[in-house]
Amino acid sequence: MNILILGSGGREHALAWAVKQNPKCDRLIVAPGNAGIATIAECATIDILSGEAVAGFAAENAIDFVIVGPEAPLAAGVADYLRNAGLSVFGPSKEAARLEASKSFTKEICDAARAPTAAYARFTTAEPAKAYIRAQGAPIVVKADGLAAGKGVIVAMTEQEALDAIDDMFGGEFGEAGAEVVIEEFMDGEEASYFILVDGETVLPIGTAQDHKRVGDGDTGPNTGGMGAYSPAPVLTDAIAQKALDEIVVPTMREMARRGTPYQGVLYAGLMIKDGQPRLVEYNCRFGDPECQVLMMRLGAQALDLMMACAQGHLSDIQANWADDHALTVVMASNGYPGAYAKGTVINGLTTLPETSSAYTFHAGTAEKDGAIVATGGRVLNVTARGATLQEARDRAYAMVDQIDWPEGFCRRDIGWRAL
Ligand code: AMP
Ligand code: GLY
C-alpha cells in the first residue's frame, strides 16, 4: 500500500515510524515532513490545508490511505474532500472536528449527552461576560471558542485575571477564535488523556497518557504545547477509564451520530479526575503531540491496522494488543521557548543515538542544512523510550538526552514525576 501522512511534527514522525514497521506499507510519503521524517519516508511539499491539492497529489501518487495528523486540515474539511474523492482517510469530517474547533459546540454536545463536564456560560460581548465572572468569582476558566493553537485558555486564579482575559479576547488577541467566549467552572483534580478510535459507531480505546504542559521542572512557568509525556497514565485506572467511556465518550459519540455527523478517527479526551470521577476538560480530534509518540512506541506496527480498521468502519473486528510496558518521551526545545527563540542552531550527537523499537528520537522541528541538523521550531526533538517500568523508560530516555549536544536547547529533567 501507498500511504500519505499529513503533518510535520513529532506526532507525524511517530506515526510514520509505526506505519513503516507494518509490512502492508510499501511506499510512505509525509507532507510536508521534517529532517527526521526524511530518514524513514519521502517528504513532499503540498498545501495540506487544501483538499484539492492533497487529493490531486494522492491521485498522482496512487495513494491508498491518508492519515491526517494535525487539527487544522481537519477543521478545514480536508478529510471530507478526500473521502468524497473516493480515498480511504483516517480523520474526522469538518463537522465532527468541531468537537475540537469549537468549545461551545462541545459543551452543547455534552449537555445533550449528559456527559460530566464543567458548568459554563457562553458570551459574545464583554460586559455580560464580566458580570458573570464577578458573580461566579475565581478561580474560573476563560476560553476562546475557536482554535487558538493551544493558547486560547486562561485558567484565572483571580477575578482580575479573568476580567483581563475577557478584554484580550474581545479585543481581538485571538482573532476570529475569540469572537465567542466560553467561561467555565474551574475543575480541580489530576488531568489525563484518553485516546479512543471511533469508526462512527464502535469505540476502541488505544491508550492513556499524561503530558507536562508547563515549561519548567515541577510544573512551573508558562504553558507550552507539552514538554514530555508518558503512557500509561496510572491515574486512569481501568475502572475510571471505563467510567469515562460509559459516561462521556460513548454518549457524546452517540449524540454525534444521532445528529447525522458521526465521528471517525482518533478522539483525544482530556479528562479531569477527582475522587474516582472523570469529567471532560476538552476533546481534540487528533492524536496529542507529544502523547502520540509514546502511544506509537507502545503500539508499533499494529497502529496502521487499527487506523485502517477505523477508517473502513471495521473497528468491531479488531483489538489493540498491549504489552505490559511503559513509554516516556522528553521534549527538547529551543532556549527561550515558549517565548522567542533562535532558529537554525546546530544539533550534534544525533547520529550515534539508538534507533530501535524501544528507543527512538522523533523530530518535531528540524531541517537539514549543509549536512547538519538544525532546529527550526520551539519544540524540536522528542527523545522517546520504552521499558518494563516507567522508571526504566525514563532512565533510557534521559540517557539518550544526555548524548545530544545542543547548547541552544533545553528540556525538563522531571518528566514522569507525578507517576513515579
Ligand atoms: P484546553 O485547551 O481546553 O485543554 O485547556 C488547556 C488546559 O487548561 C487544560 O489542559 C487544563 O489544564 C486547563 N483547563 C481547561 N479547562 C479547565 C477547567 N474547566 N478547569 C480547570 N482547568 C482547566
Ligand atoms: N499535548 C497536548 C496536545 O497535543 O494538545
Side-chain angles (χ1 to χ4, degrees):
M1 283 177 63
N2 297 333
I3 297 169
L4 172 65
I5 299 177
L6 303 184
S8 64
R11 167 180 51 210
E12 288 75 24
H13 192 177
L15 288 167
W17 175 84
V19 163
K20 185 77 196 266
Q21 291 170 35
N22 191 307
K24 290 194 187 80
C25 175
D26 296 312
R27 185 169 173 217
L28 179 61
I29 307 177
V30 184
N34 63 39
I37 294 172
T39 65
I40 59 166
E42 297 170 53
C43 292
T45 309
I46 322 173
D47 175 3
I48 65 166
L49 295 180
S50 159
E52 198 179 347
V54 178
F57 179 90
E60 277 163 34
N61 291 277
I63 296 297
D64 301 294
F65 188 48
V66 183
I67 299 167
V68 185
E71 64 277 19
L74 295 167
V78 168
D80 307 71
Y81 194 100
L82 298 177
R83 268 194 285 273
N84 288 338
L87 279 149
S88 180
V89 186
F90 179 78
S93 66
K94 177 176 179 166
E95 192 55 31
R98 286 180 72 202
L99 283 176
E100 173 163 4
S102 169
K103 307 224 184 256
S104 59
F105 175 73
T106 303
K107 286 301 201 182
E108 191 186 304
I109 296 288
C110 284
D111 283 349
R114 300 178 189 278
T117 182
Y120 74 106
R122 342 170 15 172
F123 300 93
T124 51
T125 52
E127 280 320 311
K130 289 183 176 177
Y132 181 80
I133 288 169
R134 289 193 190 98
Q136 299 290 319
I140 195 161
V141 182
V142 180
K143 301 183 173 187
D145 179 64
L147 291 178
K151 298 188 180 78
V153 174
I154 310 296
V155 180
M157 285 303 159
T158 65
E159 210 172 288
Q160 192 55 47
E161 252 180 282
L163 296 173
D164 291 346
I166 292 297
D167 285 332
D168 290 345
M169 287 188 190
F170 288 121
E173 182 165 334
F174 299 100
E176 265 305 296
E180 180 168 346
V181 164
V182 173
I183 303 180
E184 273 187 16
E185 164 201 0
F186 172 80
M187 293 188 286
D188 193 19
E190 187 169 345
E191 264 186 283
S193 306
Y194 197 15
F195 295 87
I196 302 112
L197 296 184
V198 186
D199 67 3
E201 216 166 291
T202 302
V203 302
L204 179 69
I206 55 161
T208 64
Q210 274 178 300
D211 76 347
H212 294 259
K213 289 197 164 72
R214 305 284 184 146
V215 74
D217 282 12
D219 292 330
T220 54
N223 263 325
T224 70
M227 294 302 292
Y230 51 94
S231 170
V235 64
L236 260 181
T237 59
D238 289 349
I240 298 176
Q242 191 61 47
K243 240 178 188 274
L245 272 188
D246 294 344
E247 295 177 10
I248 301 172
V249 175
V250 169
T252 48
M253 292 299 99
R254 266 203 203 119
E255 176 62 16
M256 292 298 287
R258 194 191 64 78
R259 291 178 177 220
T261 53
Y263 190 93
Q264 185 264 87
V266 62
L267 185 70
Y268 160 172
L271 303 172
M272 189 69 80
I273 295 140
K274 195 177 180 214
D275 303 329
Q277 179 63 46
R279 290 208 282 169
L280 185 75
V281 178
E282 61 163 353
Y283 276 136
N284 293 308
C285 62
R286 50 171 174 87
F287 282 109
D289 189 348
E291 293 93 327
C292 184
Q293 289 78 315
V294 286
L295 292 176
M296 289 304 126
M297 185 154 277
R298 295 187 65 213
L299 284 170
Q302 65 177 317
L304 176 61
D305 301 318
L306 289 165
M307 288 188 280
M308 283 172 55
C310 179
Q312 292 157 3
H314 297 153
L315 275 184
S316 53
D317 304 335
I318 194 166
Q319 280 185 331
N321 296 312
W322 290 102
D324 185 14
D325 61 1
H326 298 256
L328 181 143
T329 188
V330 179
V331 171
M332 296 192 75
S334 298
N335 288 344
Y337 174 80
Y341 51 83
K343 283 193 181 177
T345 58
V346 175
I347 307 168
N348 285 307
L350 294 174
T351 50
T352 52
L353 290 177
E355 290 189 346
T356 69
S357 61
S358 54
Y360 205 90
T361 301
F362 300 113
H363 290 217
T366 63
E368 200 196 318
K369 201 177 166 211
D370 305 327
I373 297 294
V374 299
T376 57
R379 292 190 297 167
V380 173
L381 298 171
N382 308 141
V383 185
T384 312
R386 197 153 57 102
T389 62
L390 185 61
Q391 186 66 50
E392 187 185 3
R394 169 159 135 152
D395 291 345
R396 280 192 182 155
Y398 278 110
M400 289 159 72
V401 164
D402 291 337
Q403 290 179 53
I404 296 172
D405 173 18
W406 181 31
E408 294 85 4
F410 75 99
C411 67
R412 279 182 59 165
R413 298 296 315 188
D414 65 345
I415 301 305
W417 70 268
R418 209 182 279 278
L420 292 165

